[in-house]
C-alpha cells in the first residue's frame, strides 16, 4: 500500500520528505521512480501529465495537492469511479486573503502607479482613497472567499459576496445565484474572483460582466486564468470602463512572453503566487485521508463530480 506523487514541477522530493517527516513508515514514490504500481492506492497529484492516472489499477482515490481540481477534469482519461479530494487549509486561505488585501491596498494607495511614475520622474499625486470609499465584491464564498470576506469586514471595507448557495457572513452582504448577480456586480467597485473553474464559470470575467460593474471598477483574479476573457479585459481597461486589474492566474502559465498583459501599465501580474499549498500545513490532512481510506472511513474534503469543485 503506497502513495504516488504525480506532478511535473520540482516539488516531488519536498512532498515526499514532508509526508515521511510526519509518518516515517509511509511508502511514497515519485511517479518517475521505480515502484510497484499495483500497490499504489493513493495518487497525490498536481497538474499531472494527462493519462498517467490510468497506470495505477488499484487506486482508491485521487488527492489534489491544491485547492483547485480543474486540471483533473481536463484529463479525459480520469478514472470515472474514483473519489477525488482537495486541499482545504487554513494557511492556504489566510495566505490568499493576505494576497488579495495587499493588492487592494496597493490599488487604493496607487502604489503601482507611483512606481511607474517614478521611472518617468513624474510627480503626480492621485485622488486620496480610503477603505471606507470602496465596496469589495467577492465572487465565491468557499474555503478561500469566506476567509477573505471575514478579513475585509474586520478591516472595515464594505464587503459583499456572491456564491451559488446562501451564506451568512457577519458584517457582509451576501448574494446567492444567477438572479442576484446583477445587483451584486452593480455595487462591486473592487471585484475579486475566487470561484472554481467549471463549465459554468469558464469565461465569466468577460465584457458583459465588466459592463455590469460600476465605472472605474478594479478587478482581481486569483482563481484561474480560464475565468478571464483576456481581450475583453484589455478592451475594458483601455476604454477606461475599468481602472485596472491584478491577475495571478493565466490561460497559459508561465504567461507567454508575447502576451499583451506583460506590457500593460494598468494590468499587474503575479506568477500564480497568491497562495501556495504549504507542505507542513497540508500533509496532516493528506495523511488523515490516507488512514481513513485504510479503515474504510469517509474521506475529508471530497470534490463533487457533478458540480466540478
Ligand atoms: P470552494 O470550492 O471552497 O469554494 C468555491 C465557491 O465558489 C463556493 O462558495 C461556491 O458556491 C462558489 N461557486 C462555484 N460555482 C459557482 C457558480 N456557478 N455561481 C456562483 N458561485 C459559485 O473553493 P476554494 O475557495 O477552496 O477555492 C477557489 C478557487 O481558488 C480554486 O478552485 C482555485 O481555482 C483557486 N485557487 C487559486 C490559488 C492561487 O494561488 N491563485 C490558490 C488556491 C486556490 P457554493 O458555496 O454555494 O457551492
Ligand atoms: C490551488 C492553487 O488550487 O495553488 O491550490 O492554485
Amino acid at each position: 500500500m503506497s502513495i504516488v506523487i504525480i506532478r511535473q514541477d520540482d516539488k516531488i522530493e519536498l512532498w515526499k520528505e514532508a509526508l515521511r517527516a510526519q509518518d516515517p513508515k509511509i511508502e511514497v514514490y515519485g511517479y518517475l521512480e521505480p515502484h510497484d504500481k499495483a500497490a499504489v492506492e493513493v495518487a497525490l497529484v498536481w497538474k499531472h501529465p494527462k493519462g498517467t492516472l490510468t497506470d495505477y489499477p488499484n487506486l482508491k482515490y485521487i488527492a489534489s495537492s491544491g485547492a483547485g481540481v480543474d486540471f483533473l477534469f481536463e484529463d479525459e482519461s480520469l478514472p470515472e469511479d474514483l473519489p477525488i479530494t482537495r486541499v482545504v487549509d487554513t494557511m492556504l486561505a489566510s495566505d490568499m486573503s493576505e494576497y488579495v488585501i495587499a493588492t487592494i491596498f496597493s490599488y487604493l494607495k496607487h502604489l503601482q502607479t507611483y512606481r511607474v511614475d517614478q521611472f518617468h520622474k513624474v510627480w503626480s499625486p492621485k485622488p486620496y482613497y480610503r477603505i471606507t470609499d470602496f465596496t469589495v465584491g467577492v465572487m465565491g464564498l468557499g474555503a478561500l472567499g469566506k476567509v477573505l470576506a471575514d478579513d475585509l469586514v474586520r478591516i472595515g471595507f464594505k464587503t459583499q459576496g456572491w456564491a451559488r448557495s446562501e451564506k451568512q457572513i457577519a458584517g457582509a452582504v451576501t448574494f446567492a445565484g444567477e438572479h442576484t448577480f446583477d445587483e451584486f456586480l452593480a455595487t462591486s467597485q473592487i471585484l475579486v474572483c475566487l470561484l472554481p473553474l467549471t463549465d459554468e464559470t469558464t469565461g465569466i470575467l468577460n465584457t458583459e460582466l465588466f459592463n455590469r460593474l460600476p465605472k472605474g471598477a478594479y478587478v482581481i483574479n486569483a482563481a484561474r486564468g480560464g475565468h478571464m476573457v483576456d481581450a475583453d479585459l484589455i478592451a475594458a481597461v483601455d476604454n477606461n470602463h475599468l481602472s485596472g486589474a491584478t491577475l495571478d492566474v493565466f490561460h497559459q502559465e508561465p504567461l507567454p512572453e508575447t502576451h499583451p498583459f506583460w506590457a500593460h501599465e494598468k494590468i499587474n501580474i503575479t506568477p500564480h503566487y497568491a497562495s501556495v499549498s504549504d507542505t507542513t500545513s497540508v500533509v496532516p490532512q493528506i495523511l488523515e485521508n490516507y488512514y481513513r481510506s485504510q479503515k474504510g472511513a469517509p474521506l475529508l474534503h471530497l470534490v463533487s463530480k457533478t458540480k466540478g469543485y
Side-chain angles (χ1 to χ4, degrees), residues 7 9 12-13 16 33 54 61 85 87 114 116 118 130 156 161 177 227 246 269 276:
R7 51 191 303 148
D9 59 11
I12 289 186
E13 286 308 312
K16 272 168 63 179
E33 64 186 294
T54 55
Y61 68 98
T85 66
V87 166
Y114 287 139
V116 174
Q118 178 184 343
R130 296 185 177 81
H227 290 121
T246 290
I269 65 169
V276 177

Side-chain angles (χ1 to χ4, degrees), residues 10-302:
D10 57 2
K11 292 190 178 168
I12 289 186
E13 286 308 312
L14 179 78
W15 279 90
K16 272 168 63 179
E17 279 163 29
L19 284 158
R20 284 180 184 146
Q22 294 188 30
D23 182 348
K25 290 201 203 114
I26 203 96
E27 270 198 62
V28 52
Y29 302 94
Y31 75 112
L32 292 177
E33 64 186 294
H35 59 288
D36 176 4
K37 292 186 174 165
V40 170
E41 291 190 340
V42 184
L44 178 59
V45 294
W46 184 246
K47 298 184 182 168
H48 63 292
K50 293 191 176 85
T52 40
L53 289 164
T54 55
D55 293 347
Y56 297 93
N58 296 317
L59 274 186
K60 286 193 172 157
Y61 68 98
I62 298 164
S64 164
S65 49
V69 290
D70 43 292
F71 68 94
L72 282 166
F73 293 115
E74 282 165 14
D75 181 350
E76 280 173 11
S77 63
L78 179 72
E80 263 178 27
D81 46 338
L82 291 182
I84 297 173
T85 66
R86 70 185 195 99
V87 166
V88 177
D89 177 53
T90 52
M91 187 182 282
L92 194 72
S94 63
D95 286 352
M96 176 59 81
S97 179
E98 285 177 20
Y99 170 89
V100 173
I101 288 165
T103 300
I104 292 174
F105 276 112
S106 173
Y107 168 63
L108 240 65
K109 303 299 171 187
H110 308 287
L111 300 185
Q112 298 284 348
T113 314
Y114 287 139
R115 182 81 183 134
V116 174
D117 284 356
Q118 178 184 343
F119 278 113
H120 297 105
K121 300 192 175 157
V122 169
W123 183 275
S124 164
K126 314 282 181 256
Y128 204 90
Y129 294 146
R130 296 185 177 81
I131 288 170
T132 45
D133 293 330
F134 285 90
T135 298
V136 183
V138 182
M139 292 167 74
L141 294 172
L144 305 183
K146 158 84 168 72
V147 171
L148 172 64
D150 283 339
D151 287 347
L152 290 168
V153 169
R154 220 183 39 248
I155 292 169
F157 285 100
K158 286 171 268 171
T159 304
Q160 55 192 24
W162 180 74
R164 189 201 287 267
S165 59
E166 302 280 348
K167 311 278 177 221
Q168 300 286 331
I169 297 181
V173 179
T174 52
F175 297 86
E178 186 55 45
H179 65 287
T180 65
F181 204 28
D182 253 335
E183 198 186 341
F184 164 77
L185 291 173
T187 42
S188 293
Q189 293 159 293
I190 297 174
L191 183 76
V192 184
C193 179
L194 284 178
L195 292 168
L197 187 66
T198 64
D199 290 347
E200 284 175 25
T201 65
T202 295
I204 193 168
L205 299 173
N206 59 26
T207 300
E208 201 217 319
L209 178 147
F210 300 145
N211 287 342
R212 293 151 87 185
L213 293 171
K215 185 162 170 57
Y218 192 82
V219 172
I220 299 170
N221 185 19
R224 284 291 179 265
H227 290 121
M228 181 65 74
V229 179
D230 294 0
D232 289 6
L233 177 69
I234 291 173
V237 172
D238 286 348
N239 70 24
N240 291 321
H241 180 65
L242 296 181
S243 54
T246 290
L247 312 175
D248 184 54
V249 285
F250 306 92
H251 286 271
Q252 192 183 329
E253 297 178 0
L255 186 66
E257 276 181 25
T258 51
H259 199 289
F261 286 161
W262 282 109
H264 204 294
E265 285 200 353
K266 293 184 182 168
I267 297 176
N268 301 312
I269 65 169
T270 51
H272 198 144
Y273 165 81
S275 91
V276 177
S277 289
D278 176 87
T279 49
T280 311
S281 185
V282 166
V283 157
Q285 65 182 264
I286 303 294
L287 289 174
E288 171 65 22
N289 265 346
Y290 182 68
Y291 305 140
R292 281 171 175 252
S293 123
Q294 308 280 290
K295 288 185 284 193
L299 298 178
L300 304 173
H301 313 315
L302 279 169

